[in-house]
Amino acid sequence: MNIGEWVRHICSIFQCERYEVEFHIIKIRYDIQSLRNNFPKLRGIDIKCFKLEPNEIDIQCAQNIMRAFLPDVKYVILQGVSLRDIQHIGMANLEELMINPVRNPKFDDFLTLNVERCTFHTDRFSLRDLNRLFKLWKKGTFPKLKEFTVLGETNADLNVLLKGLQAKGAEGEAEYTIKNCYGIRAKITVYNNIPASVFVSFTVSK
């Protein structure tokens, strides 16, 4: 049997309600129609590219995978694939997006999305950019956002992160609360005792 026949055979055996697939972008080339023909509706996909600098063909393969399964897919993990290369496809139906690793993320890229939970694992990020993102949330942007997490190296100066947010929290604590224009509260948690890294978590109250 070919790959498509094997996939359909395995799916017929297990009869699962939820399928998730991990795609490796190395030498295999994916086209949209064959992906749709060979796989069921997927709940989650994990796209991995092992090259330090993906070429145009690699990026096109990642884009084809995304196009093939949107809008059914709800969970996406990108590894070695830049968000900027696929953000124009549109991922407004996503519940969760994880990017690991990403180099020097531009949180402006996140502005094109409308996901519920988003996680960045990165080498370095800007607290100033993150502060800007939180200010936009206070103004009512990202109404679907429930969780936003970033882990990486940065200047751990809380004055930069919390500037202008009117955050409430005792000095020296790792947790702060902010409120948006609709009265919805969110908690910002910061840990900078991780070796060579800072962890910032943003969680919207239920």
Side-chain angles (χ1 to χ4, degrees):
M1 295 189 291
N2 59 34
I3 293 178
E5 291 170 336
W6 270 112
V7 171
R8 290 190 291 272
H9 176 65
I10 293 173
C11 291
S12 68
I13 294 174
F14 293 100
Q15 293 294 318
C16 298
E17 295 183 359
R18 171 176 169 174
Y19 294 94
E20 298 180 2
V21 176
E22 180 177 299
F23 294 96
H24 290 198
I25 299 176
I26 305 176
K27 294 183 178 179
I28 301 176
R29 297 295 177 247
Y30 302 97
D31 67 87
I32 296 175
Q33 195 57 51
S34 65
L35 289 169
R36 289 175 175 169
N37 291 340
N38 292 330
F39 289 92
K41 290 183 178 181
L42 299 178
R43 182 71 173 177
I45 55 177
D46 184 345
I47 305 175
K48 294 182 178 180
C49 183
F50 299 96
K51 296 181 180 178
L52 292 177
E53 296 293 337
N55 58 36
E56 292 185 6
I57 296 177
D58 299 325
I59 293 171
Q60 184 180 27
C61 287
Q63 292 173 345
N64 286 346
I65 294 170
M66 293 295 299
R67 289 191 179 99
F69 300 114
L70 290 174
D72 297 314
V73 69
K74 297 299 180 183
Y75 305 92
V76 172
I77 300 176
L78 301 178
Q79 301 192 51
V81 179
S82 170
L83 175 60
R84 188 165 296 175
D85 292 328
I86 64 171
Q87 64 183 359
H88 64 282
I89 296 174
M91 293 183 280
N93 292 318
L94 286 185
E95 294 178 7
E96 185 169 357
L97 172 67
M98 177 181 290
I99 306 176
N100 178 30
V102 57
R103 296 183 177 181
N104 298 314
K106 302 297 182 183
F107 293 117
D108 286 349
D109 295 343
F110 179 75
L111 304 183
T112 63
L113 307 179
N114 194 22
V115 300
E116 294 183 15
R117 294 179 296 276
C118 187
T119 301
F120 283 86
H121 290 179
T122 178
D123 56 350
R124 179 173 293 277
F125 66 97
S126 167
L127 287 179
R128 194 179 303 278
D129 289 346
L130 198 54
N131 170 269
R132 178 172 176 266
L133 186 142
F134 293 156
K135 285 180 178 177
L136 288 171
W137 179 84
K138 283 175 63 69
K139 293 180 180 179
T141 312
F142 318 122
K144 285 179 58 177
L145 184 63
K146 296 179 180 178
E147 297 178 11
F148 185 87
T149 303
V150 58
L151 174 64
E153 294 184 13
T154 190
N155 177 10
D157 185 352
L158 287 181
N159 293 324
V160 174
L161 178 64
L162 302 176
K163 184 178 180 180
L165 294 179
Q166 283 119 20
K168 295 182 178 180
E171 184 176 353
E173 290 188 353
E175 294 185 355
Y176 300 85
T177 301
I178 63 175
K179 184 169 60 175
N180 71 3
C181 60
Y182 302 113
I184 300 173
R185 298 180 183 274
K187 181 175 66 176
I188 298 174
T189 305
V190 183
Y191 296 106
N192 58 6
N193 57 351
I194 305 172
S197 296
V198 174
F199 173 88
V200 179
S201 174
F202 174 85
T203 307
V204 177
S205 301
K206 296 182 179 180

